[in-house]
Amino acid sequence: MRNEQRTLADPLETLGLDPTQTALYTAVLRLHRATRSELAEVMNGPVDTLAGQLDDLVRLGVVDEQSGEYLARHPAAALGRLVADRLDLLAEESRRIDSALGSIRTLIRDYDMGRDYRSGPFPVELVSGADVLYESVMGMAVQAPPLTLLVAIPDGRTMTDFARKFADPWIDAQERGLMVIRAVVPVDALTLPGVRDAMTRVIATGGSMRTLDRVPSWFMTAGADAAGLPARWGGNLPEVAYNFYLLRTPIVVGMLSSLFEELWSRAVPLPWGRRGDAMAQVVRLAAQGLSDEAIARHLGVSVRTVRTRFAEAMTELGAQSRFQAGVEAARRGWLDQ
């Protein structure tokens, strides 16, 4: 096996000096102070050619010129100047890279628009009936698991229908890894019969759900290529006999996904689960007239823990006082047994 000798790069060359500039800088270092003629003699080259190279070294900050003589700067200072210049270049390059990365969304949008333009009008399918809606989602989940399903639901009737007739197959599909559900629902739907149980099971099998005071309209996205829109924006599905449009185009999916994420960021997590139940407990007992000390004895925790949970509940509910927290908790269904 042949051993190849590796040559280490000259540090000055690494920082931007070419071999001729490096040799000239080394000559100035050894003479410490010299005229152009003296340096030309050492370098065995014409003075005119040397003049431009010396000007470059002065510009780079590794050599000083005083009254026609060239003085070598201390190597540490010279290297520091070169390193600083190189770091400035790297910082500028980093800013350019960040700018390029920041424009990637626009580039992707332009790519999708061009692809859709070449593909012709994107397909739109009018779908009618609740059964068809839920079965369509199941079909897409089976074809491309795991399907990420984003759903915004504006009304209690749709939530009641979901809990009563359609939750079980979706929850089963999620449990089998066919899809993952994320939903934003209106807060007043939490107290409807069967809804809490259905939502609890969605969360227990890996889904996520949050509540808003008002959800603007029903819509959904299924994966990266399909989206559902109501026949009339702002309405709920039962009012239009579950008529909706199924579109298969990345642009529409991207727009609705962005809208969903905006709603999600404004929505409030459900008061269920270990932490949520703990918060709801202290608010529920306080609403019954118990003091912090009595709540602590009832739950078997310290008074400090009770007050911490109440503070967390106030933050979660967006309340400024305990009274306001109690009112908001009742509205959100926290006080229901």
Side-chain angles (χ1 to χ4, degrees):
M1 181 181 293
R2 186 178 64 181
N3 292 324
E4 297 183 358
Q5 184 177 2
R6 300 180 62 187
T7 303
L8 295 176
D10 187 293
L12 294 174
E13 188 174 341
T14 301
L15 293 173
L17 269 63
D18 62 34
T20 302
Q21 291 172 329
T22 299
L24 182 57
Y25 174 65
T26 303
V28 177
L29 280 178
R30 290 172 179 168
L31 294 175
H32 189 66
R33 180 191 296 266
T35 64
R36 290 182 182 179
S37 299
E38 291 171 337
L39 288 167
E41 184 177 349
V42 171
M43 297 294 294
N44 195 25
V47 174
D48 293 342
T49 302
L50 205 64
Q53 296 169 348
L54 285 167
D55 290 342
D56 288 339
L57 292 180
V58 172
R59 178 179 53 79
L60 291 170
V62 298
V63 168
D64 292 329
E65 181 185 7
Q66 294 180 0
S67 303
E69 289 186 317
Y70 295 89
L71 291 77
R73 298 190 69 187
H74 191 282
L79 282 172
R81 173 65 181 272
L82 291 174
V83 169
D85 289 345
R86 179 52 61 91
L87 289 175
D88 286 342
L89 290 174
L90 291 174
E92 178 61 28
E93 188 68 19
S94 177
R95 284 191 290 270
R96 291 176 182 173
I97 292 173
D98 288 342
S99 177
L101 291 174
S103 67
I104 191 68
R105 289 177 180 239
T106 301
L107 297 174
I108 291 173
R109 182 192 63 198
D110 291 342
Y111 172 84
D112 288 339
M113 289 176 64
R115 183 177 64 176
D116 291 340
Y117 173 75
R118 288 297 178 185
S119 301
F122 53 78
V124 179
E125 178 185 356
L126 178 60
V127 181
S128 298
D131 292 338
V132 177
L133 164 62
Y134 289 97
E135 289 172 5
S136 296
V137 171
M138 287 294 298
M140 287 185 281
V142 171
Q143 290 175 13
L147 180 76
T148 299
L149 184 68
L150 309 181
V151 187
I153 301 174
D155 63 295
R157 185 175 167 189
T158 303
M159 283 302 302
T160 300
D161 287 349
F162 171 73
R164 185 165 53 90
K165 297 189 292 185
F166 306 109
D168 289 341
W170 276 22
I171 292 170
D172 179 65
Q174 184 170 254
E175 196 167 23
R176 290 188 290 134
L178 296 178
M179 66 179 174
V180 178
I181 303 168
R182 292 176 62 199
V184 176
V185 304
V187 65
D188 55 14
L190 298 184
T191 58
L192 296 174
V195 169
R196 172 168 179 165
D197 177 65
M199 295 175 71
T200 301
R201 289 190 293 133
V202 168
I203 295 171
T205 54
S208 304
M209 305 193 88
R210 291 186 178 183
T211 63
L212 268 178
D213 285 343
R214 179 181 175 275
V215 180
S217 180
W218 178 87
F219 66 88
M220 74 171 190
T221 67
D225 298 314
L229 285 169
R232 185 180 69 250
W233 182 262
N236 58 65
L237 285 170
E239 286 179 349
V240 291
Y242 279 92
N243 292 324
F244 71 98
Y245 294 103
L246 186 62
L247 301 86
R248 299 183 184 274
T249 173
I251 294 178
V252 176
V253 175
M255 292 172 58
L256 292 177
S257 296
S258 297
L259 174 58
F260 180 88
E261 295 300 342
E262 176 64 26
L263 296 176
W264 185 265
S265 68
R266 300 179 185 180
V268 177
L270 299 180
W272 308 323
R274 186 173 181 180
R275 178 172 174 269
D277 282 340
M279 291 188 298
Q281 274 185 322
V282 297
V283 176
R284 187 160 46 242
L285 292 171
Q288 295 173 10
L290 275 66
S291 65
D292 289 353
E293 291 75 12
I295 294 173
R297 288 194 298 271
H298 181 84
L299 298 177
V301 298
S302 67
V303 174
R304 181 178 180 181
T305 298
V306 170
R307 290 171 179 167
T308 298
R309 290 178 182 175
F310 215 117
E312 290 175 344
M314 289 175 63
T315 300
E316 199 74 50
L317 294 166
Q320 301 300 316
S321 66
R322 288 198 171 195
F323 175 77
Q324 186 181 358
V327 173
E328 185 65 19
R331 192 175 70 85
R332 292 182 178 270
W334 284 32
L335 305 186
D336 297 337
Q337 294 290 343

